[in-house]
Amino acid sequence: MKTTCLFKAITLALLLLTTSVTQAAADKMLRISTDNTDLILHVVSNSRIYQTYFGERLTDPSALSYGSNHREAYQGAGYDDYFEPALGIIHNDGTRCTILTYVSHEQKVIPGGTETIVHLKDEVYPVEVILHYQAYTKENVIKTWSEIVHHEKKPVTLFQFASAMLYFDSNRYFLTQYNGDWGTEGLTNTQELFFGKKIIDSKLGSRSAMYVSPYFELGIGTPVSENEGEMLLGTLGWTGNFRFTFEVDNEGVLRLVPGINPFTSDYELRPGEVFTTPDFIFTRSAQGEGQASRQIHRWARRWQVMDGEGDRFTLLNNWENTYFSFNEPILSNCMHEAKKLGVDLFLLDDGWFGNKHPRNNDHAGLGDWQAMQSKLPHGVPGLVDSARAAGVKFGIWIEPEMVNPKSELYEQHPEWVIQLPNRKTYYYRNQLVLDLCNPQVQDFVFSVPDHLLRENPDIQFFKWDCNSMITNAYSPYLKEKQGNLYIDFTRGLYSVLRRLHDAHPQTHMMLCSGGGGRCDYEALKYFTEFWPSDNTDPVERIYMQWAYSHCFPAKVLCAHVTNWNSQTSVKFRVDVASMCKLGFDISLKRMSEQDQLFCREAIYNFNRLKPLILDGDQYRLVSPLQTDHMAVMYVGNPSPTPTANQDREPSAVVFAYNLSPRYGEAIQPVRLQGLNPLSRYLVREINLMPNQQSRLSCHDKVYSGDHLMKVGLPILSTRRFTSTVLQLTTID
Ligand code: DGJ
């Protein structure tokens, strides 16, 4: 009896103790949540703040307590940690150690979710860091960044400045990266991570993503797959040198340190100046990368991309048609072709400017943004008038951050150019990069599109190109502070883009960098879309669009129909481009009447289906990396009930392609996704050549969503380079 009482008393005491410990910890437990994810931080007895959980949302996080693993939320260098830190500072006295302790935190409601703000400080040096975590509840995306400030007497030098840190606990980790080169963007490579470091980084400055894109996928436990498994999709919003460090430690814990690349960037930070890191944006999924992509797509359209929920223009570009050889009659003809095709806008590319040094090739003229009199006697206003007369909108190419040494700009302002004072200059594409660290240069770069728009308010679109990385790395403006070059250049670019956006908020802009050399979510605050690659071979584009779709919605991926790969039909090329933001860069003279008719019909269909393709949920159905085919579909929100005499809007569209199938290959039906199993859908093949009948057995038949998703549709074949587009309309 006595024993029982004693036992009860001990149990009660333990319970009280546990409760009070949990309570104490809970006082300083920070919970960053979305609908499916929890990231939990704890402040512990040493006043430092640690990650205690990151994974599927918990029903009861109060049971969490701080373990022995050192997973500091924002690790400073030089004290009690032996792996990659987030923050490194050389203080005024020459010491290189920074340890951050918790001061306070707050959590507030923001549109779409919550923001958690954590204030930290060093107890020995006057250094403060603020961590920001914005959690977008429905989209399951978390955006995180840091602010670093100090009040030492003289400037300090930052040698590490990560945006954030995250830790993962698993037996195995698999990293998928997206690398390439000019014309081979979006190559996909997966590797297992073991003890030690794997770094994905860029040192190219302006054309930062030319060799590797600033996003990755991490398979936790197993390699990432489309519809299964725990994984993270992460990306950095930074149009400059970036670095993702993945380090597996002695205990098998993986730490991820994303941020600006500190490569040759020991950053001098003045007292009181705030160093704001770029955003690290991530989404996790327990159902594979398909769900993660849909989450980030929805977030991007809703919260990040310029006019993310607005419309996009279909267009005809003249680059591959004319290159530099054009004049007013040729361009006027292109504008009439644009009208005949049925696209919204004509886009004039490179070669329209320069008089003393005319831009008739890529050796001269960059920097002199006055219309070339010999080609365009009526200037840009004359072109805007011609476009109006032809009945299309007008857009124009610029590359305002760059200069050819053969230009009046270079003759007048050699000090505006990033260039070494004491070495032979190295040229990439015969051009140099302007020194955007310099506010006068920022004013000049801003003035290029601003003047064009003030003179021609009818310009609706810019293609903003960037064909050189930062070479000859020396900023005449920064003088002895060269460590700030790569970072201040990128910030200078943002300052120009912000100004431009504020002055002309309606103008759509395509971000281009000799192909996909720039593709990140910070730039996309100012650009409605980007150019994924100069390689427009539709077969190659299938792989590239597949790769980019992991991080970016179809709406921001420009896809143009050109003459690349003459083995493929115009239908195949148009069907491939119709999966993203459709455009053309081709002369109608090189197309048969049949093909032209087909294009007009396909553009009409694209416009009809834009709400699905550009704004719907994308499902990747058949991978070109695993098969000789590819299929994707886009599903929209249920259409409103049509009124009498009104056709129902389609609720899904499917694109399927046969690449290089093998003879006698057993072809599998394509199982659809994202439909309502209880609804019935009318399946109709569209984008057929004029007078062609569908050969598909499923054409114009009705199926349940259940059937379409479990049994699938026989839409693939062994006919090389062929394609099928289906629209699905819910009938009940
Ligand atoms: C590179 C771009 O990627 C091309 O589309 C074209 O605009 C050229 N620059 C023009 O120089």
Side-chain angles (χ1 to χ4, degrees):
M1 190 66 178
K2 254 189 182 171
T3 326
T4 317
C5 281
L6 185 65
F7 177 71
K8 273 190 182 160
I10 292 172
T11 312
L12 189 64
L14 274 177
L15 195 67
L16 285 172
L17 190 67
T18 319
T19 314
S20 68
V21 167
T22 311
Q23 199 56 50
D27 287 339
K28 290 181 186 169
M29 183 188 83
L30 283 64
R31 184 178 189 189
I32 296 147
S33 305
T34 70
D35 277 349
N36 74 10
T37 296
D38 263 325
L39 170 62
I40 296 188
L41 310 176
H42 266 98
V43 182
V44 300
S45 52
N46 63 6
S47 295
R48 289 160 66 185
I49 181 162
Y50 296 86
Q51 176 185 314
T52 42
Y53 181 80
F54 177 46
E56 198 66 16
R57 191 179 165 124
L58 296 167
T59 40
D60 175 20
S62 67
L64 282 173
S65 61
Y66 172 64
S68 61
N69 286 324
H70 302 284
R71 296 172 196 177
E72 192 152 9
Y74 199 72
Q75 179 73 58
Y79 191 57
D80 56 359
D81 179 73
Y82 316 109
F83 297 91
E84 190 71 12
L87 177 66
I89 300 179
I90 306 178
H91 300 285
N92 283 185
D93 62 4
T95 62
R96 289 164 177 251
C97 172
T98 304
I99 299 300
L100 298 171
T101 53
Y102 171 89
V103 177
S104 64
H105 78 275
E106 64 206 87
Q107 203 157 51
K108 59 182 190 192
V109 174
I110 56 164
T114 58
E115 180 171 354
T116 306
I117 302 169
V118 189
H119 296 263
L120 307 170
K121 67 163 197 217
D122 190 308
E123 282 170 354
V124 177
Y125 294 91
V127 169
E128 288 152 39
V129 171
I130 305 174
L131 309 179
H132 295 260
Y133 300 87
Q134 288 189 342
Y136 292 85
T137 319
K138 278 211 306 264
E139 293 84 6
N140 293 304
V141 166
I142 298 178
K143 178 162 114 174
T144 167
W145 73 96
S146 309
E147 290 173 283
I148 305 161
V149 67
H150 74 93
H151 300 284
E152 299 196 20
K153 288 213 168 62
K154 289 188 292 181
V156 300
T157 303
L158 304 181
F159 61 91
Q160 286 268 29
F161 25 72
S163 294
M165 280 182 100
L166 277 183
Y167 300 82
F168 303 85
D169 232 339
S170 174
N171 292 332
R172 299 180 78 181
Y173 309 99
F174 297 85
L175 174 67
T176 301
Q177 65 185 48
Y178 297 88
N179 56 273
D181 198 340
W182 181 90
T184 64
E185 290 91 341
L187 301 177
T188 307
N189 293 293
T190 299
Q191 61 187 265
E192 185 162 4
L193 301 176
F194 298 103
F195 176 87
K197 268 191 211 169
K198 157 78 188 175
I199 287 176
I200 300 175
D201 74 344
S202 151
K203 304 182 184 73
L204 294 140
S206 42
R207 200 175 174 174
S208 55
M210 183 169 169
Y211 298 141
V212 63
S213 298
Y215 65 94
F216 64 85
E217 291 181 329
L218 186 67
I220 299 152
T222 53
V224 169
S225 72
E226 191 62 35
N227 294 312
E228 282 166 10
E230 170 90 13
M231 58 80 64
L232 180 103
L233 168 66
T235 183
L236 195 77
W238 184 243
T239 320
N241 293 345
F242 58 85
R243 188 172 78 171
F244 298 114
T245 304
F246 303 84
E247 187 170 30
V248 180
D249 70 14
N250 54 318
E251 293 174 343
V253 172
L254 169 68
R255 74 171 62 178
L256 161 62
V257 190
I260 297 176
N261 192 350
F263 166 76
T264 77
S265 293
D266 286 353
Y267 194 88
E268 188 179 305
L269 187 69
R270 293 191 304 270
E273 188 186 353
V274 181
F275 184 98
T276 305
T277 71
D279 300 336
F280 175 59
I281 300 145
F282 61 93
T283 183
R284 57 163 290 289
S285 153
Q287 280 101 46
E289 58 190 344
Q291 180 183 301
S293 297
R294 285 186 289 282
Q295 290 175 169
I296 203 160
H297 293 173
R298 286 188 209 129
W299 169 82
R301 287 189 301 254
R302 179 91 179 86
W303 304 111
Q304 188 75 6
V305 172
M306 183 196 154
D307 201 13
E309 295 184 303
D311 200 4
R312 294 293 184 269
F313 300 131
T314 52
L315 58 82
L316 174 70
N317 192 358
N318 69 311
W319 176 241
E320 302 222 352
N321 176 4
T322 66
Y323 292 102
F324 293 98
S325 308
F326 55 79
N327 55 25
E328 284 178 349
I330 291 174
L331 294 182
S332 161
N333 185 55
C334 292
M335 293 169 192
H336 283 98
E337 290 196 343
K339 181 68 185 171
K340 192 169 172 202
L341 265 176
V343 294
D344 302 315
L345 182 140
F346 169 72
L347 170 63
L348 170 60
D349 214 284
D350 194 356
W352 59 268
F353 49 89
N355 285 299
K356 181 172 174 194
H357 302 284
R359 178 80 173 167
N360 287 320
N361 53 50
D362 61 18
H363 286 257
L366 268 186
D368 301 347
W369 298 101
Q370 297 78 36
M372 196 190 299
Q373 286 299 302
S374 53
K375 276 182 184 168
L376 306 171
H378 299 92
V380 177
L383 296 174
V384 174
D385 286 346
S386 301
R388 197 181 301 115
V392 287
K393 298 179 180 13
F394 181 74
I396 194 163
W397 180 97
I398 49 175
E399 194 180 4
E401 298 154 79
M402 302 284 157
V403 63
N404 283 126
K406 269 195 184 172
S407 67
E408 291 185 74
L409 180 70
Y410 187 87
E411 287 161 7
Q412 286 156 17
H413 288 292
E415 80 286 3
W416 281 7
V417 178
I418 293 181
Q419 190 171 203
L420 289 155
N422 54 356
R423 288 184 194 276
K424 189 167 168 240
T425 302
Y426 166 80
Y427 295 100
Y428 188 92
R429 207 196 189 204
N430 318 300
Q431 65 193 58
L432 295 168
V433 182
L434 290 177
D435 185 4
L436 273 170
C437 306
N438 181 342
Q440 279 185 314
V441 175
Q442 293 170 19
D443 287 346
F444 169 79
V445 174
F446 167 75
S447 75
V448 175
D450 184 59
H451 281 169
L452 279 164
L453 283 168
R454 282 182 200 284
E455 184 190 40
N456 308 282
D458 274 357
I459 292 179
Q460 307 269 332
F461 189 89
F462 283 114
K463 176 178 179 182
W464 180 304
D465 212 341
C466 164
N467 285 292
S468 177
M469 48 292 271
I470 290 182
T471 54
N472 313 284
Y474 178 85
S475 156
Y477 176 77
L478 289 175
K479 301 201 172 67
E480 69 286 351
K481 280 175 41 176
Q482 294 301 316
N484 292 23
L485 165 58
Y486 285 101
I487 296 173
D488 285 356
F489 175 90
T490 310
R491 289 184 176 156
L493 172 66
Y494 293 147
S495 141
V496 171
L497 292 171
R498 245 190 320 269
R499 254 170 99 182
L500 185 62
H501 184 68
D502 290 348
H504 308 282
Q506 308 301 334
T507 315
H508 283 207
M509 293 209 290
M510 178 204 294
L511 175 62
C512 175
S513 186
R518 279 179 167 175
C519 57
D520 70 87
Y521 272 122
E522 186 62 22
L524 283 169
K525 277 184 180 167
Y526 311 102
F527 291 87
T528 42
E529 53 217 77
F530 74 88
W531 182 235
S533 176
D534 278 351
N535 185 342
T536 48
D537 174 336
V539 177
E540 295 295 330
R541 277 297 181 119
I542 281 186
Y543 294 90
M544 288 178 191
Q545 290 170 193
W546 182 269
Y548 280 114
S549 78
H550 285 79
C551 190
F552 299 106
K555 187 166 215 168
V556 305
L557 297 175
C558 303
H560 292 183
V561 177
T562 69
N563 281 317
W564 282 56
N565 196 347
S566 52
Q567 289 182 55
T568 59
S569 64
V570 165
K571 168 175 163 56
F572 186 83
R573 288 179 245 163
V574 173
D575 286 353
V576 171
S578 296
M579 281 189 289
C580 295
K581 208 221 83 169
L582 175 65
F584 290 77
D585 195 349
I586 196 167
S587 162
L588 291 196
K589 288 191 200 80
R590 297 186 62 179
M591 271 196 235
S592 67
E593 271 303 318
Q594 291 286 92
D595 282 342
Q596 291 185 33
L597 262 176
F598 168 80
C599 288
R600 284 201 283 279
E601 172 73 12
I603 292 165
Y604 169 80
N605 284 336
F606 179 80
N607 282 329
R608 241 177 4 96
L609 299 169
K610 261 193 300 192
L612 301 173
I613 300 168
L614 301 185
D615 294 307
D617 276 338
Q618 186 192 53
Y619 292 83
R620 290 182 294 258
L621 305 174
V622 178
S623 167
L625 303 173
Q626 286 156 12
T627 69
D628 291 313
H629 310 268
M630 189 272 218
V632 296
M633 70 184 287
Y634 301 87
V635 183
N637 297 318
S639 48
T641 315
T643 53
N645 303 328
Q646 194 188 359
D647 283 346
R648 281 175 189 269
E649 298 294 331
S651 40
V653 54
V654 180
F655 294 89
Y657 307 88
N658 304 300
L659 301 173
S660 301
R662 306 296 306 272
Y663 174 79
E665 182 188 320
I667 302 290
Q668 300 297 320
V670 176
R671 292 192 186 89
L672 309 191
Q673 294 179 36
L675 302 175
N676 179 350
L678 302 177
S679 292
R680 292 193 312 141
Y681 297 87
L682 172 66
V683 173
R684 174 164 296 166
E685 182 173 10
I686 58 168
N687 281 13
L688 289 159
M689 287 301 287
N691 306 320
Q692 190 200 336
Q693 302 299 314
S694 174
R695 293 196 281 189
L696 296 175
S697 57
C698 59
H699 175 64
D700 266 345
K701 299 243 169 68
V702 172
Y703 298 89
S704 68
D706 188 55
H707 179 99
L708 293 167
M709 293 194 288
K710 290 180 180 158
V711 180
L713 292 174
I715 51 174
L716 296 176
S717 80
T718 52
R719 281 175 297 127
R720 192 167 193 246
F721 298 157
T722 52
S723 51
T724 300
V725 184
L726 302 177
Q727 72 176 38
L728 271 63
T729 309
T730 317
I731 56 165
D732 55 28

